[in-house]
């Protein structure tokens, strides 16, 4: 291939850039070139322009480079060619590939004759252009305007001054929770998740699985609860589940005795909110999983870190996969500051005397592990006598003792404690304890349970 033929290659529409690489070439160096071209307008990589020592080795490097790209790059096989009568391999990177590519979390783009990192704004724009963000803004097949609960929408609008006086449909449209389709208003993914009457009817993957194990590993005996509701309710119920099962007691700091929970409640809430706000809702067959062990709390969320965020820069960088959901949760007070809140979790854990939390990407998700306080935490069972000032009857005192040992109680638990009492009496006992500020009611209908207040 002569310089003139290279010029012709550029002109034939195969790409706007030509990159000459010597041979041998490492798969990683080649992958960086492919990523940069793919995130721009495409181009052609010529391997061995000065001479190809081993076509098999170059071909193998190309195949490995395709797989190093994330997501793996689906390109035609390298073509054999000649440059000034010397054999070489050509790799064509077409314009307009369907994804935004990265190499080990680094997003590169061709800029003139150099490969440069994509800035946050440019990366976001490219993701939007190539359809890799915005799942939350898609309309949901089979869902209609009637699947949205107007009561929930009005309650949300009442919390946002600029929206309080608007009609419900205008609120939904302005906040990206519904779209017009042939004159009909239809809910988006974000709209159903935030305001749906039964969100998981259409979005079956969008729940939370909660579990508590007595030991440090999964076992056959455990407590489980599945939360399948709107995102705000998922957050509330998940927090209630974890808090109700955390050990309560004291930590010795020098000669001082500090009353505290096993984990800082604010950090637990932040972990749950982050998982709900930033998970990849397009992933099916998986759900948020929260597991409380005797020595740690694990929160897993489907979807790896989005955009340019990596494990190394996640404390400082911000990139939201779900802009609409994040804004709605912020409006409702679940998110104090738009961002991941990782720095806040780290600070709260340190202030609580806990080890640094562990952040890890899995094959298809992101997991945070919050480690417990260890042996210096002394779990205590409060003296039931302090509840006597509330004039509780014998049945209610049994419920208090159950709560001190188990963390929460349901109507069914109470009935097993006092099997000779009618269901109406049980409901009245529990309601009275709520009125006296002894208990806090969590959830509703069949998912209702109570914790000590």
């Amino acid at each position: 291939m002569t310089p003139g033929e290279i010029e012709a290659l550029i002109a034939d529409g195969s790409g706007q850039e030509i990159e000459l690489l010597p041979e041998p070439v490492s798969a990683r160096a080649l992958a960086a070139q492919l990523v940069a071209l793919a995130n721009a307008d495409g181009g052609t990589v010529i391997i061995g322009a000065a001479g190809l020592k081993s076509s098999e080795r170059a071909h193998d490097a190309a195949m490995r480079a395709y797989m190093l790209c994330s997501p793996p790059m689906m390109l035609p096989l390298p073509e054999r060619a000649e440059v000034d009568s010397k054999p070489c391999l050509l790799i064509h990177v077409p314009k307009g590939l369907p994804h935004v590519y990265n190499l080990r979390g680094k997003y590169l783009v061709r800029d003139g004759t150099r490969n440069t990192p994509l800035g946050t704004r440019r990366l976001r724009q490219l993701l939007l252009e190539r359809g890799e963000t915005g799942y939350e803004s898609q309309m949901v097949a089979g869902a209609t305007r009637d699947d949205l609960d107007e009561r929930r929408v009005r309650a949300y609008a009442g919390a946002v001054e600029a929206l309080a006086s608007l009609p419900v449909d205008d609120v939904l449209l302005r906040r990206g929770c519904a779209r017009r389709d042939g004159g009909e208003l239809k809910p988006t993914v974000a709209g159903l998740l935030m305001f749906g009457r039964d969100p998981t009817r259409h979005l079956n993957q969008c729940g939370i699985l909660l579990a508590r194990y007595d030991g440090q590993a999964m076992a056959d005996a455990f407590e489980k609860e599945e939360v399948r509701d709107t995102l705000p309710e998922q957050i509330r119920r998940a927090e209630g589940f974890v808090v109700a099962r955390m050990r309560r007691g004291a930590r010795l700091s020098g000669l001082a005795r500090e009353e505290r929970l096993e984990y800082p409640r604010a950090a637990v809430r932040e972990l749950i909110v982050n998982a709900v706000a930033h998970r990849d809702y397009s992933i099916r067959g998986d759900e948020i999983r929260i597991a409380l062990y005797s020595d740690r709390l694990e929160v897993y969320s489907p979807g790896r870190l989005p955009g340019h965020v990596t494990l190394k820069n996640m404390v400082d960088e911000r990139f939201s996969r779900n802009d609409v959901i994040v804004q709605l949760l912020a409006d409702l007070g679940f998110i104090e500051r738009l961002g991941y809140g990782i720095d806040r979790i780290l600070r709260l854990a340190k202030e609580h005397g806990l080890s640094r939390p562990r952040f890890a990407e899995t094959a298809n998700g992101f997991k945070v592990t919050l480690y417990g306080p260890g042996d210096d935490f002394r779990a205590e069972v409060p003296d039931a006598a302090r509840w006597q000032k509330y004039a509780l009857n014998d049945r209610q005192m049994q419920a208090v003792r159950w709560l001190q040992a188990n963390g929460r109680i349901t109507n069914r638990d109470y009935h097993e404690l006092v099997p000779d009492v009618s269901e109406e009496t049980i409901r009245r006992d529990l309601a009275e304890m709520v009125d006296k500020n002894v208990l806090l009611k969590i959830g509703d209908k069949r998912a209702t349970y109570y914790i000590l207040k």
Side-chain angles (χ1 to χ4, degrees):
M1 183 177 291
T2 64
E5 289 173 323
I6 293 178
E7 294 285 345
L9 181 63
I10 297 174
D12 75 0
S14 297
Q16 287 69 48
E17 296 287 343
I18 294 291
E19 181 65 35
L20 305 176
L21 294 178
E23 201 277 323
V25 61
S26 73
R28 184 172 180 180
L30 178 55
Q33 298 294 342
L34 298 178
V35 164
L37 291 174
N39 289 339
D41 294 320
T44 300
V45 177
I46 302 177
I47 303 176
L52 192 64
K53 298 177 182 178
S54 171
S55 60
E56 290 184 3
R57 182 172 56 193
H59 188 277
D60 180 63
M63 294 297 98
R64 286 187 287 116
Y66 290 2
M67 298 307 295
L68 283 175
C69 302
S70 182
M73 204 170 289
M74 307 302 291
L75 296 177
L77 294 174
E79 297 178 13
R80 292 179 180 271
E82 289 187 354
V83 174
D84 294 334
S85 300
K86 296 178 181 179
C88 65
L89 287 184
L90 303 182
I91 299 177
H92 295 292
V93 181
K95 182 179 180 179
L97 287 173
H99 302 290
V100 182
Y101 297 89
N102 72 84
L103 177 61
R104 296 187 178 181
K106 191 172 184 179
Y107 288 79
L108 301 170
V109 67
R110 191 70 172 179
D111 188 3
T113 60
R114 298 183 306 150
N115 299 333
T116 60
L118 272 168
T120 302
R121 183 174 297 178
R122 192 173 177 187
L123 174 58
R124 186 185 296 275
Q125 183 61 37
L126 189 59
L127 287 166
L128 288 169
E129 290 172 358
R130 298 194 178 183
E132 294 209 6
T133 61
Y135 177 78
E136 63 172 353
S137 298
Q138 295 180 15
M139 290 184 290
V140 181
T144 68
R145 170 68 172 75
D146 291 338
D147 287 305
L148 296 175
D149 189 336
E150 284 199 17
R151 176 180 54 84
R152 286 171 166 162
V153 181
R154 293 184 190 281
Y156 162 74
V160 183
E161 185 176 351
L163 304 176
S165 61
L166 295 179
V168 167
D169 285 2
D170 287 353
V171 173
L172 293 169
L173 289 167
R174 288 197 182 192
R175 278 302 194 250
C177 295
R179 291 167 57 185
R180 296 283 183 191
D181 181 30
E184 185 179 352
L185 198 69
K186 292 187 177 180
T188 62
V189 171
L192 271 183
L193 291 175
M194 291 297 297
F195 307 120
R197 298 180 189 277
D198 182 9
T200 54
R201 175 188 168 200
H202 297 283
L203 300 168
N204 188 55
Q205 73 275 23
C206 301
I208 299 180
L209 178 63
L210 299 151
R212 175 187 176 274
Y213 300 92
D214 290 333
Q216 298 180 11
M218 291 184 181
D220 292 337
F222 63 94
E223 292 182 73
K224 184 182 81 169
E225 183 174 326
E226 251 186 302
V227 183
R228 305 173 66 80
D229 211 315
T230 60
L231 299 189
E233 188 61 22
Q234 285 185 28
I235 292 170
R236 294 187 187 100
R237 288 176 57 186
E239 181 184 352
F241 179 95
V242 175
V243 171
R245 288 157 182 77
M246 284 196 290
R247 293 183 298 166
R248 289 158 170 79
R251 176 180 180 271
L252 297 179
S253 179
L255 297 178
R257 178 179 178 278
E258 300 175 356
E259 298 281 352
R260 60 174 52 206
L261 291 171
E262 188 174 7
Y263 301 97
R265 182 166 186 162
V268 172
R269 182 184 303 117
E270 192 79 42
L271 285 173
I272 295 169
V273 170
N274 285 342
V276 168
H278 301 298
R279 70 152 287 182
D280 186 344
Y281 285 99
S282 68
I283 295 177
R284 299 182 181 276
D286 205 354
E287 58 196 339
I288 293 172
R289 300 194 297 272
I290 300 175
L292 183 63
Y293 297 89
S294 62
D295 64 334
R296 68 194 186 280
L297 172 68
E298 293 182 352
V299 179
Y300 168 84
S301 179
R304 291 165 66 86
L305 291 170
H308 63 286
V309 179
T310 67
L311 291 173
K312 291 183 178 180
N313 67 20
M314 61 189 299
V315 174
D316 302 310
E317 294 294 329
R318 299 290 181 267
F319 189 95
S320 176
R321 178 183 279 116
N322 306 305
D323 286 335
V324 174
I325 290 172
V326 167
Q327 184 61 60
L328 293 168
L329 291 175
D331 291 340
L332 291 172
F334 287 99
I335 299 175
E336 295 183 7
R337 175 173 53 82
L338 295 183
Y340 278 93
I342 297 299
D343 49 351
R344 186 163 183 257
I345 293 169
L346 291 170
R347 176 177 56 80
L348 289 167
K350 184 177 181 180
E351 292 174 354
H352 206 73
L354 304 180
S355 302
R356 181 183 174 86
R358 181 174 182 268
F359 305 96
E361 282 190 294
T362 66
N364 204 36
F366 181 68
K367 183 169 75 172
V368 183
T369 303
L370 190 60
Y371 294 100
D375 294 337
D376 62 346
F377 181 88
R378 297 188 178 182
E380 298 178 347
V381 178
D383 183 3
R386 71 186 180 114
W387 301 105
Q388 291 178 354
K389 65 181 180 181
Y390 295 101
L392 303 179
N393 60 42
D394 290 341
R395 296 186 306 273
Q396 292 169 327
M397 286 302 298
Q398 287 188 63
V400 167
R401 286 189 288 271
W402 170 275
L403 282 157
Q404 289 171 342
N406 297 278
R408 75 168 187 170
I409 193 169
T410 64
N411 286 53
R412 182 177 179 179
D413 294 330
Y414 198 1
H415 191 270
E416 291 177 354
L417 284 175
V418 285
D420 297 331
V421 175
S422 69
E423 292 186 1
E424 178 58 34
T425 299
I426 286 173
R427 284 194 293 269
R428 187 169 60 248
D429 275 358
L430 292 171
E432 182 180 276
M433 295 172 78
V434 171
D435 291 340
K436 290 181 176 181
N437 284 325
V438 174
L439 301 185
L440 180 64
K441 181 180 178 182
I442 305 292
D444 55 17
K445 298 181 180 178
R446 292 185 178 181
T448 299
Y449 61 90
Y450 302 84
I451 62 175
L452 286 172
K453 190 174 183 181

